[in-house]
Amino acid sequence: MTSALKSVLIISCMALFGGALLAGCDSKPKASSISKPSVQKYEQAKTLQGLVTNDAGPVKTGIIKALSEQGQELARMALTNGPHYSLEIPAGTALPIVLAYCPAADAPDDQCMISAVVHAGASKFDINPLSTRIAKQAKALGGYTHKNLVSAAENTGTVPASNKTTAGFRGDPTTQYGGWH
């Protein structure tokens, strides 16, 4: 190889290498555009309803409260002679909210049961020991979000691990939802 050819190859390689370095130096990591999920609100007043049960069965007396995530009381009603409740939530209320059942107005928190509300479209929320475990675990996972509630529900269920196809479906998975999707 002649010295002229060696010089051309060296210069070409240096140009390629230098161009690659410049391209690498010029490309800055782009800031990811992480958008916060939009806050859901009730555009109109919304009636939430459900059934309150404990380990002994339907609860007949007590207090039901709707609370903001910060603990501000939004609505309240007394259960009398039955486990069914119905609460009117004011328009403009931001989600998530917590529905709390307490056996008495002055009952300590450990005697109360809760259910978390994260979707404006839903209106039926039962309050029971299972909803309480799910809501508390979701809060521990980082807050009342759809993702945390689903994760908490999957981890709180009593379905054996070997039978957890699609969150506990029991049966032929090829027939679930009309077949595979």
Side-chain angles (χ1 to χ4, degrees):
M1 199 183 274
T2 66
S3 65
L5 185 59
K6 282 183 182 179
S7 296
V8 169
L9 283 174
I10 290 173
I11 291 172
S12 296
C13 288
M14 288 175 62
L16 286 173
F17 182 70
L21 281 177
L22 288 176
C25 291
D26 191 36
S27 63
K28 297 175 184 168
K30 295 182 180 176
S32 63
S33 57
I34 299 174
S35 61
K36 288 187 175 182
S38 62
V39 174
Q40 287 191 46
K41 288 185 177 185
Y42 289 123
E43 298 301 322
Q44 304 172 14
K46 178 84 169 191
T47 301
L48 302 182
Q49 56 190 343
L51 182 68
V52 182
T53 57
N54 60 20
D55 293 330
V59 173
K60 297 191 187 217
T61 60
I63 305 290
I64 305 289
K65 296 184 270 187
L67 306 167
S68 70
E69 193 172 16
Q70 294 77 27
Q72 175 189 2
E73 189 172 308
L74 306 167
R76 170 192 286 245
M77 73 160 285
L79 283 180
T80 55
N81 246 1
H84 297 279
Y85 75 90
S86 180
L87 285 174
E88 182 90 7
I89 306 301
T93 300
L95 296 178
I97 63 173
V98 176
L99 299 172
Y101 160 80
C102 295
D106 58 349
D109 287 344
D110 66 339
Q111 291 182 4
C112 298
M113 296 185 293
I114 61 173
S115 185
V117 178
V118 296
H119 295 290
S123 61
K124 184 175 184 325
F125 298 92
D126 291 343
I127 304 170
N128 53 51
L130 180 59
S131 72
T132 301
R133 284 193 305 272
I134 291 169
K136 286 181 177 181
Q137 187 170 357
K139 183 70 170 179
L141 289 171
Y144 301 120
T145 65
H146 173 80
K147 179 182 174 185
N148 290 346
L149 285 169
V150 168
S151 179
E154 289 175 349
N155 293 329
T156 305
T158 57
V159 178
S162 63
N163 201 7
K164 277 194 176 176
T165 56
T166 309
F169 174 71
R170 294 174 185 247
D172 182 359
T174 61
T175 62
Q176 183 181 20
Y177 309 124
W180 292 108
H181 289 265

